[in-house]
Coordinates of all heavy atoms in Angstrom, one line a residue:
N1366 N 0.8 -1.2 0.0 CA 0.0 0.0 0.0 C 0.9 1.3 0.0 O 0.5 2.3 0.6 CB -0.9 -0.1 1.2 CG -2.1 0.9 1.0 OD1 -2.3 1.4 0.0 ND2 -2.9 1.0 2.1
L1367 N 2.0 1.2 -0.6 CA 3.0 2.3 -0.7 C 2.5 3.4 -1.7 O 2.1 3.0 -2.8 CB 4.4 1.8 -1.0 CG 5.5 2.7 -1.0 CD1 5.7 3.4 0.3 CD2 6.8 2.0 -1.4
H1368 N 2.6 4.6 -1.3 CA 2.1 5.7 -2.1 C 3.1 6.8 -2.1 O 3.8 7.0 -1.1 CB 0.8 6.2 -1.6 CG 0.2 7.4 -2.3 ND1 -0.3 7.4 -3.6 CD2 0.2 8.7 -1.9 CE1 -0.7 8.6 -3.9 NE2 -0.4 9.4 -3.0
S1369 N 3.2 7.6 -3.1 CA 4.2 8.8 -3.1 C 3.6 10.0 -3.8 O 2.7 9.9 -4.6 CB 5.5 8.4 -3.9 OG 5.2 8.2 -5.3
E1370 N 4.1 11.2 -3.3 CA 3.8 12.4 -3.9 C 5.1 13.2 -4.1 O 6.0 13.1 -3.3 CB 2.9 13.2 -3.0 CG 1.5 12.6 -2.7 CD 0.7 13.4 -1.7 OE1 0.9 14.6 -1.5 OE2 -0.1 12.7 -1.0
V1371 N 5.2 13.9 -5.2 CA 6.4 14.7 -5.5 C 6.1 16.2 -5.4 O 5.0 16.6 -5.8 CB 7.0 14.3 -6.8 CG1 7.5 12.8 -6.8 CG2 6.1 14.5 -8.0
N1372 N 7.2 16.9 -5.1 CA 7.1 18.4 -5.0 C 8.5 18.9 -5.1 O 9.3 18.7 -4.2 CB 6.5 18.8 -3.7 CG 6.4 20.3 -3.6 OD1 6.5 21.0 -4.5 ND2 6.1 20.8 -2.4
D1373 N 8.9 19.5 -6.2 CA 10.2 20.0 -6.5 C 11.2 18.9 -6.4 O 11.3 18.0 -7.2 CB 10.6 21.2 -5.6 CG 9.7 22.4 -5.9 OD1 9.3 22.6 -7.1 OD2 9.4 23.2 -5.0
T1374 N 12.1 19.0 -5.4 CA 13.1 18.0 -5.2 C 12.8 17.1 -4.0 O 13.7 16.4 -3.4 CB 14.5 18.6 -4.9 OG1 14.4 19.5 -3.7 CG2 14.9 19.4 -6.1
Q1375 N 11.5 16.9 -3.6 CA 11.1 16.1 -2.5 C 10.2 15.0 -3.0 O 9.4 15.1 -3.9 CB 10.3 17.0 -1.5 CG 11.0 18.1 -0.9 CD 10.1 19.0 -0.1 OE1 8.9 19.1 -0.3 NE2 10.7 19.7 0.9
I1376 N 10.3 13.9 -2.3 CA 9.3 12.8 -2.4 C 8.8 12.4 -1.1 O 9.5 12.2 -0.1 CB 10.0 11.5 -3.0 CG1 10.7 11.9 -4.4 CG2 9.0 10.4 -3.2 CD1 11.6 10.7 -4.9
F1377 N 7.4 12.5 -1.0 CA 6.7 12.1 0.3 C 6.1 10.7 0.1 O 5.3 10.5 -0.8 CB 5.6 13.2 0.6 CG 4.9 12.8 1.8 CD1 5.4 13.0 3.1 CD2 3.6 12.3 1.7 CE1 4.7 12.7 4.2 CE2 2.9 12.0 2.9 CZ 3.4 12.2 4.1
Y1378 N 6.6 9.8 0.9 CA 6.1 8.4 0.8 C 5.2 8.2 2.0 O 5.5 8.7 3.1 CB 7.3 7.4 1.0 CG 8.2 7.3 -0.3 CD1 9.4 7.9 -0.3 CD2 7.7 6.6 -1.4 CE1 10.2 7.9 -1.4 CE2 8.5 6.5 -2.5 CZ 9.8 7.1 -2.5 OH 10.6 7.1 -3.6
S1379 N 4.1 7.5 1.8 CA 3.2 7.1 2.9 C 2.7 5.7 2.6 O 2.7 5.2 1.5 CB 2.1 8.1 3.0 OG 1.3 8.2 1.8
W1380 N 2.3 5.0 3.7 CA 1.7 3.7 3.6 C 0.8 3.4 4.7 O 0.8 4.2 5.7 CB 2.9 2.6 3.5 CG 3.8 2.8 4.7 CD1 3.7 2.1 5.9 CD2 5.0 3.6 4.7 NE1 4.8 2.5 6.7 CE2 5.6 3.4 6.0 CE3 5.6 4.4 3.8 CZ2 6.8 4.1 6.4 CZ3 6.8 5.1 4.2 CH2 7.3 4.9 5.5
A1381 N 0.0 2.3 4.6 CA -0.9 2.0 5.7 C -0.1 1.4 6.9 O 0.8 0.7 6.7 CB -1.9 0.9 5.2
P1382 N -0.5 1.9 8.1 CA 0.2 1.4 9.3 C 0.0 -0.1 9.5 O -1.1 -0.6 9.1 CB -0.3 2.2 10.4 CG -1.5 2.9 9.9 CD -1.5 2.9 8.4
V1383 N 0.9 -0.8 10.1 CA 0.8 -2.2 10.4 C 0.7 -2.4 11.9 O 1.5 -1.9 12.6 CB 2.1 -3.0 9.8 CG1 2.0 -4.4 10.2 CG2 2.2 -2.8 8.3
D1384 N -0.4 -3.1 12.3 CA -0.6 -3.4 13.7 C 0.7 -4.1 14.3 O 1.1 -5.1 13.7 CB -1.8 -4.3 13.9 CG -3.1 -3.5 13.7 OD1 -3.1 -2.3 13.7 OD2 -4.1 -4.2 13.4
G1385 N 1.2 -3.6 15.4 CA 2.3 -4.2 16.1 C 3.7 -3.9 15.5 O 4.7 -4.3 16.1
A1386 N 3.7 -3.0 14.5 CA 5.0 -2.6 14.0 C 5.7 -1.6 14.9 O 5.1 -0.7 15.3 CB 4.9 -2.0 12.6
A1387 N 7.0 -1.8 15.2 CA 7.7 -0.9 16.0 C 8.3 0.2 15.2 O 8.5 1.3 15.6 CB 8.9 -1.6 16.8
E1388 N 8.6 -0.1 13.9 CA 9.2 0.8 13.0 C 9.1 0.3 11.6 O 8.6 -0.9 11.4 CB 10.7 1.1 13.3 CG 11.6 0.0 13.1 CD 13.0 0.3 13.5 OE1 13.4 1.5 13.7 OE2 13.8 -0.6 13.5
Y1389 N 9.4 1.1 10.6 CA 9.4 0.7 9.2 C 10.7 1.1 8.6 O 11.4 1.9 9.0 CB 8.3 1.5 8.5 CG 6.9 1.4 9.1 CD1 6.5 2.3 10.1 CD2 6.1 0.3 8.7 CE1 5.2 2.1 10.7 CE2 4.9 0.2 9.3 CZ 4.4 1.1 10.3 OH 3.2 0.9 10.9
I1390 N 11.0 0.3 7.5 CA 12.2 0.7 6.7 C 11.8 0.9 5.3 O 11.2 0.0 4.7 CB 13.3 -0.5 6.8 CG1 13.7 -0.8 8.3 CG2 14.5 -0.1 6.0 CD1 14.6 -2.0 8.4
L1391 N 12.2 2.0 4.8 CA 11.9 2.3 3.3 C 13.2 2.1 2.6 O 14.2 2.7 2.9 CB 11.5 3.8 3.2 CG 11.2 4.2 1.7 CD1 9.8 3.7 1.3 CD2 11.3 5.7 1.5
Y1392 N 13.2 1.2 1.6 CA 14.3 0.9 0.8 C 14.1 1.6 -0.6 O 13.0 1.5 -1.1 CB 14.5 -0.6 0.5 CG 14.8 -1.3 1.8 CD1 13.8 -1.9 2.6 CD2 16.1 -1.5 2.2 CE1 14.1 -2.6 3.7 CE2 16.4 -2.2 3.4 CZ 15.4 -2.8 4.1 OH 15.7 -3.5 5.2
Y1393 N 15.1 2.3 -1.1 CA 14.9 3.0 -2.4 C 16.1 3.0 -3.2 O 17.2 2.9 -2.7 CB 14.3 4.4 -2.2 CG 15.3 5.4 -1.5 CD1 16.0 6.3 -2.2 CD2 15.4 5.3 -0.1 CE1 16.9 7.1 -1.5 CE2 16.2 6.2 0.6 CZ 17.0 7.1 -0.1 OH 17.9 7.9 0.5
S1394 N 15.9 3.2 -4.5 CA 17.1 3.1 -5.4 C 16.7 3.8 -6.7 O 15.5 4.0 -7.0 CB 17.4 1.7 -5.7 OG 18.5 1.6 -6.7
T1395 N 17.6 4.1 -7.6 CA 17.4 4.6 -8.9 C 17.3 3.5 -9.9 O 17.1 3.7 -11.1 CB 18.4 5.6 -9.4 OG1 19.7 5.0 -9.3 CG2 18.4 6.9 -8.5
E1396 N 17.5 2.3 -9.4 CA 17.5 1.0 -10.2 C 16.2 0.3 -9.9 O 15.8 0.2 -8.7 CB 18.7 0.2 -10.0 CG 20.0 0.8 -10.3 CD 20.1 1.2 -11.8 OE1 19.7 0.4 -12.6 OE2 20.7 2.2 -12.1
P1397 N 15.5 -0.3 -10.9 CA 14.3 -1.1 -10.6 C 14.6 -2.4 -9.8 O 15.8 -2.8 -9.7 CB 13.7 -1.4 -12.0 CG 14.9 -1.2 -12.9 CD 15.8 -0.2 -12.3
E1398 N 13.6 -3.0 -9.4 CA 13.6 -4.3 -8.6 C 14.4 -4.1 -7.3 O 15.4 -4.8 -7.1 CB 14.2 -5.4 -9.5 CG 13.3 -5.7 -10.7 CD 13.6 -6.9 -11.5 OE1 14.2 -7.8 -10.9 OE2 13.3 -6.9 -12.7
V1399 N 14.0 -3.2 -6.5 CA 14.6 -2.9 -5.2 C 14.5 -4.1 -4.3 O 13.4 -4.7 -4.1 CB 13.9 -1.7 -4.6 CG1 14.5 -1.4 -3.2 CG2 14.1 -0.5 -5.5
T1400 N 15.6 -4.5 -3.7 CA 15.5 -5.5 -2.6 C 16.4 -5.1 -1.5 O 17.4 -4.4 -1.7 CB 16.1 -6.9 -3.1 OG1 17.4 -6.7 -3.6 CG2 15.3 -7.4 -4.3
P1401 N 16.0 -5.4 -0.2 CA 16.8 -5.0 0.9 C 18.3 -5.4 0.9 O 19.1 -4.7 1.4 CB 16.1 -5.6 2.1 CG 14.6 -5.7 1.6 CD 14.8 -6.0 0.2
S1402 N 18.6 -6.5 0.2 CA 20.0 -7.0 0.2 C 20.8 -6.4 -0.9 O 22.0 -6.6 -1.0 CB 20.0 -8.5 0.1 OG 19.3 -8.9 -1.1
D1403 N 20.2 -5.6 -1.8 CA 20.9 -5.1 -3.0 C 21.9 -4.0 -2.5 O 21.5 -3.1 -1.7 CB 19.9 -4.5 -4.0 CG 20.6 -4.1 -5.3 OD1 21.8 -4.0 -5.4 OD2 19.8 -3.9 -6.3
T1404 N 23.1 -4.0 -3.0 CA 24.1 -3.0 -2.5 C 23.8 -1.6 -3.1 O 24.3 -0.6 -2.5 CB 25.5 -3.4 -2.9 OG1 25.6 -3.6 -4.3 CG2 25.9 -4.7 -2.2
S1405 N 23.0 -1.5 -4.1 CA 22.7 -0.1 -4.7 C 21.5 0.5 -4.0 O 21.2 1.6 -4.2 CB 22.5 -0.2 -6.2 OG 21.3 -0.9 -6.4
T1406 N 20.9 -0.2 -3.1 CA 19.7 0.2 -2.4 C 20.1 1.0 -1.1 O 20.9 0.6 -0.3 CB 18.8 -1.0 -2.0 OG1 18.4 -1.7 -3.1 CG2 17.6 -0.5 -1.2
R1407 N 19.4 2.2 -1.0 CA 19.6 3.0 0.2 C 18.4 2.7 1.1 O 17.3 2.3 0.6 CB 19.6 4.5 -0.1 CG 20.8 4.8 -0.9 CD 20.8 6.3 -1.2 NE 22.0 6.6 -2.0 CZ 22.2 7.8 -2.6 NH1 21.3 8.7 -2.5 NH2 23.3 8.0 -3.3
W1408 N 18.5 3.0 2.4 CA 17.3 2.8 3.3 C 17.3 3.8 4.4 O 18.3 4.4 4.7 CB 17.4 1.4 3.9 CG 18.7 1.1 4.6 CD1 19.8 0.6 4.0 CD2 19.0 1.3 5.9 NE1 20.8 0.4 5.0 CE2 20.3 0.9 6.2 CE3 18.3 1.8 7.0 CZ2 20.9 1.0 7.4 CZ3 18.9 1.8 8.3 CH2 20.2 1.4 8.4
V1409 N 16.0 4.0 4.9 CA 15.8 4.9 6.0 C 14.8 4.3 6.9 O 13.8 3.7 6.5 CB 15.2 6.2 5.4 CG1 14.9 7.2 6.6 CG2 16.0 6.9 4.4
R1410 N 15.1 4.4 8.2 CA 14.2 3.8 9.3 C 13.3 5.0 9.8 O 13.8 6.1 9.9 CB 15.0 3.3 10.4 CG 15.7 2.0 10.1 CD 16.4 1.5 11.4 NE 17.1 0.3 11.1 CZ 16.7 -0.9 11.4 NH1 15.5 -1.1 12.0 NH2 17.4 -2.0 11.1
T1411 N 12.0 4.6 10.1 CA 11.1 5.6 10.7 C 10.1 4.9 11.5 O 9.8 3.7 11.3 CB 10.4 6.4 9.6 OG1 9.5 7.3 10.2 CG2 9.6 5.5 8.6
R1412 N 9.6 5.6 12.5 CA 8.5 5.0 13.4 C 7.1 5.4 12.9 O 6.2 4.8 13.3 CB 8.7 5.5 14.8 CG 10.0 5.1 15.5 CD 10.0 5.4 17.0 NE 11.3 5.1 17.5 CZ 11.6 3.9 18.0 NH1 10.8 2.9 18.0 NH2 12.8 3.7 18.6
E1413 N 7.1 6.3 12.0 CA 5.8 6.7 11.4 C 5.5 6.1 10.0 O 6.5 5.8 9.3 CB 5.7 8.2 11.3 CG 5.9 9.0 12.6 CD 4.9 8.7 13.6 OE1 3.7 8.5 13.2 OE2 5.2 8.6 14.8
P1414 N 4.3 5.9 9.6 CA 4.0 5.3 8.3 C 4.0 6.4 7.2 O 3.2 6.4 6.3 CB 2.6 4.7 8.5 CG 2.0 5.6 9.5 CD 3.1 6.0 10.4
E1415 N 5.1 7.2 7.3 CA 5.3 8.2 6.2 C 6.7 8.7 6.4 O 7.3 8.6 7.4 CB 4.3 9.4 6.4 CG 4.4 10.1 7.7 CD 3.2 11.1 7.9 OE1 2.1 10.9 7.4 OE2 3.5 12.1 8.6
L1416 N 7.2 9.3 5.3 CA 8.6 9.7 5.2 C 8.8 10.7 4.1 O 8.3 10.5 3.0 CB 9.5 8.6 5.0 CG 11.0 8.8 5.1 CD1 11.4 9.3 6.5 CD2 11.7 7.5 4.7
L1417 N 9.4 11.8 4.4 CA 9.7 12.9 3.4 C 11.2 12.8 3.1 O 12.1 13.0 4.0 CB 9.4 14.2 3.9 CG 9.7 15.4 2.9 CD1 8.9 15.3 1.7 CD2 9.5 16.7 3.6
L1418 N 11.6 12.6 1.8 CA 13.0 12.6 1.4 C 13.2 13.8 0.6 O 12.4 14.1 -0.3 CB 13.2 11.3 0.5 CG 13.1 10.0 1.2 CD1 13.4 8.9 0.2 CD2 14.0 9.9 2.4
E1419 N 14.2 14.6 0.9 CA 14.5 15.8 0.2 C 15.8 15.9 -0.5 O 16.7 15.1 -0.2 CB 14.5 17.0 1.2 CG 13.1 17.1 2.0 CD 13.2 18.2 3.0 OE1 12.9 19.4 2.5 OE2 13.5 18.0 4.1
G1420 N 15.9 16.7 -1.5 CA 17.2 17.0 -2.2 C 17.5 16.0 -3.3 O 18.7 15.7 -3.6
Y1421 N 16.5 15.5 -3.9 CA 16.7 14.5 -5.0 C 16.6 15.1 -6.3 O 15.9 16.1 -6.5 CB 15.8 13.3 -4.8 CG 16.2 12.5 -3.6 CD1 15.7 12.9 -2.3 CD2 17.1 11.5 -3.7 CE1 16.1 12.2 -1.2 CE2 17.5 10.9 -2.5 CZ 17.0 11.2 -1.3 OH 17.5 10.5 -0.2
K1422 N 17.4 14.6 -7.3 CA 17.4 15.1 -8.6 C 16.3 14.5 -9.5 O 15.8 13.4 -9.2 CB 18.8 15.0 -9.2 CG 19.3 13.6 -9.4 CD 20.7 13.6 -9.9 CE 21.2 12.2 -10.1 NZ 22.5 12.1 -10.6
E1423 N 16.2 15.1 -10.7 CA 15.2 14.6 -11.6 C 15.5 13.3 -12.2 O 16.5 13.2 -13.0 CB 15.1 15.7 -12.7 CG 14.0 15.5 -13.7 CD 13.8 16.6 -14.7 OE1 14.5 17.6 -14.6 OE2 13.0 16.5 -15.6
Q1424 N 14.8 12.3 -11.9 CA 14.9 10.9 -12.4 C 13.9 10.0 -11.8 O 13.1 10.5 -11.0 CB 16.3 10.4 -12.2 CG 16.7 10.2 -10.7 CD 18.1 9.7 -10.6 OE1 19.0 10.4 -11.0 NE2 18.4 8.6 -10.0
D1425 N 13.9 8.7 -12.1 CA 13.0 7.8 -11.5 C 13.6 7.2 -10.3 O 14.8 6.9 -10.2 CB 12.7 6.6 -12.5 CG 11.8 7.1 -13.7 OD1 11.2 8.2 -13.6 OD2 11.8 6.4 -14.7
Y1426 N 12.7 7.0 -9.3 CA 13.1 6.3 -8.0 C 12.1 5.1 -7.8 O 11.0 5.2 -8.1 CB 13.0 7.3 -6.9 CG 14.0 8.4 -6.9 CD1 13.7 9.6 -7.6 CD2 15.3 8.2 -6.4 CE1 14.7 10.6 -7.7 CE2 16.2 9.2 -6.5 CZ 16.0 10.4 -7.1 OH 16.9 11.3 -7.2
F1427 N 12.7 4.1 -7.3 CA 12.0 2.8 -7.0 C 12.1 2.6 -5.5 O 13.1 2.7 -4.9 CB 12.6 1.7 -7.8 CG 12.6 1.9 -9.3 CD1 13.6 2.6 -9.9 CD2 11.5 1.6 -10.1 CE1 13.7 2.9 -11.2 CE2 11.5 1.8 -11.4 CZ 12.6 2.5 -12.0
A1428 N 10.9 2.2 -4.9 CA 10.9 2.0 -3.4 C 10.1 0.8 -3.0 O 9.1 0.5 -3.7 CB 10.5 3.3 -2.8
V1429 N 10.4 0.2 -1.9 CA 9.6 -0.7 -1.2 C 9.7 -0.4 0.3 O 10.6 0.3 0.7 CB 10.0 -2.2 -1.4 CG1 9.9 -2.6 -2.9 CG2 11.4 -2.5 -0.9
V1430 N 8.7 -0.8 1.1 CA 8.7 -0.6 2.5 C 8.5 -1.9 3.3 O 7.8 -2.8 2.8 CB 7.7 0.5 2.9 CG1 6.3 0.0 2.7 CG2 7.9 1.0 4.4
T1431 N 9.1 -2.1 4.4 CA 8.9 -3.2 5.3 C 8.5 -2.7 6.7 O 8.8 -1.6 7.1 CB 10.2 -4.1 5.4 OG1 11.2 -3.3 6.0 CG2 10.6 -4.6 4.1
A1432 N 7.8 -3.6 7.4 CA 7.5 -3.3 8.8 C 8.4 -4.2 9.7 O 8.8 -5.3 9.3 CB 6.0 -3.7 9.1
V1433 N 8.8 -3.6 10.8 CA 9.7 -4.3 11.7 C 9.0 -4.4 13.1 O 8.5 -3.5 13.7 CB 11.0 -3.5 11.9 CG1 12.0 -4.2 12.9 CG2 11.7 -3.2 10.6
A1434 N 8.9 -5.7 13.5 CA 8.3 -6.0 14.8 C 9.2 -5.6 16.0 O 10.4 -5.4 15.8 CB 8.0 -7.5 14.9
P1435 N 8.6 -5.4 17.2 CA 9.5 -5.1 18.3 C 10.6 -6.1 18.6 O 11.7 -5.8 19.1 CB 8.5 -5.2 19.5 CG 7.2 -4.8 18.9 CD 7.2 -5.5 17.5
S1436 N 10.4 -7.3 18.1 CA 11.5 -8.4 18.3 C 12.6 -8.2 17.2 O 13.7 -8.8 17.3 CB 10.9 -9.8 18.1 OG 10.4 -9.9 16.7
G1437 N 12.4 -7.3 16.3 CA 13.4 -7.0 15.2 C 13.2 -7.8 13.9 O 13.9 -7.6 13.0
V1438 N 12.1 -8.6 13.9 CA 11.8 -9.4 12.7 C 11.2 -8.4 11.7 O 10.3 -7.7 12.0 CB 10.9 -10.6 13.0 CG1 10.4 -11.3 11.7 CG2 11.5 -11.5 14.0
E1439 N 11.8 -8.5 10.5 CA 11.3 -7.6 9.4 C 10.4 -8.4 8.4 O 10.6 -9.5 8.1 CB 12.5 -7.1 8.6 CG 12.3 -6.0 7.6 CD 13.6 -5.5 7.0 OE1 14.7 -5.9 7.5 OE2 13.5 -4.7 6.1
S1440 N 9.3 -7.7 8.0 CA 8.3 -8.3 7.1 C 8.9 -8.4 5.7 O 9.9 -7.8 5.4 CB 7.0 -7.5 7.1 OG 7.3 -6.3 6.4
A1441 N 8.2 -9.1 4.9 CA 8.5 -9.1 3.5 C 8.3 -7.7 2.9 O 7.4 -7.0 3.4 CB 7.6 -10.1 2.7
P1442 N 9.0 -7.3 1.9 CA 8.8 -6.0 1.3 C 7.4 -5.8 0.6 O 6.8 -6.8 0.1 CB 9.9 -5.8 0.3 CG 10.7 -7.1 0.3 CD 10.0 -8.0 1.2
S1443 N 7.0 -4.6 0.6 CA 5.7 -4.2 -0.2 C 6.0 -4.4 -1.6 O 7.1 -4.6 -2.1 CB 5.3 -2.8 0.2 OG 6.3 -1.9 -0.4
K1444 N 4.9 -4.2 -2.4 CA 5.1 -4.1 -3.9 C 6.0 -2.9 -4.2 O 5.9 -1.9 -3.5 CB 3.8 -4.0 -4.6 CG 3.0 -5.3 -4.5 CD 1.8 -5.2 -5.4 CE 1.0 -6.5 -5.4 NZ -0.2 -6.4 -6.2
Q1445 N 6.8 -3.0 -5.2 CA 7.6 -1.9 -5.6 C 6.8 -0.7 -6.2 O 5.9 -0.9 -6.9 CB 8.7 -2.3 -6.6 CG 9.6 -1.2 -7.1 CD 10.6 -1.8 -8.1 OE1 11.7 -2.2 -7.6 NE2 10.3 -1.7 -9.3
L1446 N 7.2 0.5 -5.8 CA 6.6 1.7 -6.3 C 7.6 2.5 -7.1 O 8.7 2.7 -6.6 CB 6.0 2.5 -5.2 CG 5.4 3.9 -5.6 CD1 4.1 3.7 -6.3 CD2 5.2 4.7 -4.3
Q1447 N 7.2 2.9 -8.3 CA 8.1 3.8 -9.2 C 7.6 5.2 -9.1 O 6.4 5.4 -9.3 CB 8.1 3.3 -10.6 CG 9.0 4.2 -11.5 CD 9.0 3.7 -12.9 OE1 8.5 2.6 -13.3 NE2 9.6 4.5 -13.8
T1448 N 8.4 6.1 -8.8 CA 8.1 7.5 -8.7 C 9.0 8.3 -9.6 O 10.2 8.2 -9.5 CB 8.3 8.1 -7.2 OG1 7.4 7.3 -6.4 CG2 7.9 9.5 -7.1
S1449 N 8.4 9.1 -10.4 CA 9.2 10.0 -11.4 C 9.3 11.4 -10.8 O 8.2 12.0 -10.6 CB 8.6 10.0 -12.7 OG 8.6 8.7 -13.3
L1450 N 10.5 11.8 -10.5 CA 10.7 13.2 -10.1 C 11.1 14.0 -11.2 O 12.2 13.8 -11.8 CB 11.8 13.2 -9.0 CG 12.0 14.5 -8.2 CD1 10.7 15.0 -7.5 CD2 13.1 14.3 -7.2
S1451 N 10.3 14.9 -11.7 CA 10.6 15.8 -12.8 C 10.3 17.2 -12.4 O 9.3 17.5 -11.8 CB 9.8 15.4 -14.1 OG 8.4 15.6 -13.9
I1452 N 11.3 18.0 -12.8 CA 11.2 19.5 -12.4 C 10.8 20.2 -13.7 O 11.6 20.3 -14.7 CB 12.5 20.0 -11.9 CG1 12.8 19.2 -10.6 CG2 12.4 21.5 -11.5 CD1 14.2 19.3 -10.2
T1453 N 9.6 20.7 -13.8 CA 9.1 21.4 -15.0 C 9.0 22.9 -14.6 O 8.5 23.2 -13.6 CB 7.8 20.8 -15.5 OG1 6.8 20.9 -14.4 CG2 7.9 19.4 -16.0
P1454 N 9.5 23.7 -15.5 CA 9.4 25.1 -15.2 C 7.9 25.6 -15.2 O 7.1 25.1 -16.0 CB 10.1 25.8 -16.3 CG 10.2 24.8 -17.4 CD 10.1 23.4 -16.8
L1455 N 7.6 26.6 -14.3 CA 6.3 27.1 -14.3 C 6.0 28.0 -15.5 O 4.9 28.1 -16.0 CB 6.1 28.0 -13.0 CG 6.1 27.1 -11.7 CD1 6.0 28.1 -10.5 CD2 4.9 26.1 -11.7
M1456 N 7.1 28.7 -15.9 CA 6.9 29.7 -17.0 C 8.3 29.8 -17.7 O 9.3 29.8 -17.1 CB 6.5 31.0 -16.5 CG 6.3 32.1 -17.5 SD 5.6 33.7 -16.9 CE 6.4 33.9 -15.4
V1457 N 8.2 29.9 -19.0 CA 9.4 30.1 -19.8 C 9.2 31.4 -20.6 O 8.3 31.6 -21.3 CB 9.6 29.0 -20.8 CG1 10.8 29.3 -21.7 CG2 9.8 27.6 -20.1
L1458 N 10.2 32.3 -20.4 CA 10.1 33.6 -21.1 C 11.0 33.6 -22.3 O 12.2 33.1 -22.3 CB 10.6 34.8 -20.2 CG 9.7 35.0 -18.9 CD1 10.4 36.1 -18.0 CD2 8.3 35.4 -19.3
D1459 N 10.5 34.2 -23.4 CA 11.3 34.3 -24.6 C 11.2 35.8 -25.0 O 10.1 36.3 -25.4 CB 10.7 33.4 -25.7 CG 11.6 33.4 -26.9 OD1 12.6 34.2 -27.0 OD2 11.2 32.7 -27.9
F1460 N 12.3 36.5 -25.0 CA 12.4 37.9 -25.2 C 12.5 38.3 -26.7 O 12.7 39.4 -27.1 CB 13.4 38.6 -24.4 CG 13.1 38.6 -23.0 CD1 13.8 37.7 -22.1 CD2 12.2 39.4 -22.4 CE1 13.5 37.6 -20.8 CE2 11.9 39.4 -21.1 CZ 12.6 38.5 -20.2
E1461 N 12.4 37.3 -27.6 CA 12.6 37.6 -29.0 C 11.2 37.7 -29.7 O 10.3 37.1 -29.4 CB 13.4 36.5 -29.7 CG 14.8 36.6 -29.2 CD 15.7 35.7 -30.0 OE1 15.5 35.5 -31.2 OE2 16.7 35.2 -29.5

């Protein structure tokens, strides 16, 4: 149930909370087929079912999220979500 919204150089990820989860791990990459064990994958831990990532450049990002139980056991990853971050100008001036 992973969802994303983009704004300039930010990606806001959100997902449905999982009963009993102590925290979540969002795994993301610029390469498709994100897996937690992939060396090109970055990750961020959070206690909330949402996360704002800032300072990213214009390209595609792929992400999955897992829930972590208080015992430390991590769930299987969510379905992969592809997010396209594109910066389009609001207005283009041509003085000719």
Side-chain angles (χ1 to χ4, degrees):
N1366 200 7
L1367 185 58
H1368 176 73
S1369 68
E1370 296 175 30
V1371 296
N1372 182 11
D1373 295 328
T1374 60
Q1375 302 173 331
I1376 304 173
F1377 178 73
Y1378 289 102
S1379 60
W1380 53 91
V1383 175
D1384 289 337
E1388 65 183 352
Y1389 304 93
I1390 304 175
L1391 178 80
Y1392 296 93
Y1393 64 99
S1394 176
T1395 56
E1396 300 296 323
E1398 300 188 27
V1399 175
T1400 60
S1402 61
D1403 189 347
T1404 57
S1405 70
T1406 300
R1407 295 181 180 171
W1408 54 272
V1409 179
R1410 290 181 181 262
T1411 179
R1412 295 189 187 273
E1413 300 299 322
E1415 59 187 31
L1416 185 63
L1417 177 66
L1418 299 178
E1419 299 182 87
Y1421 290 88
K1422 63 183 179 178
E1423 185 173 0
Q1424 64 185 59
D1425 289 342
Y1426 292 90
F1427 303 87
V1429 298
V1430 67
T1431 62
V1433 181
S1436 64
V1438 176
E1439 191 173 352
S1440 73
S1443 67
K1444 289 185 178 180
Q1445 180 177 271
L1446 175 69
Q1447 179 178 352
T1448 302
S1449 296
L1450 187 61
S1451 63
I1452 302 166
T1453 54
L1455 295 175
M1456 180 174 39
V1457 176
L1458 295 176
D1459 185 357
F1460 293 104
E1461 291 189 33

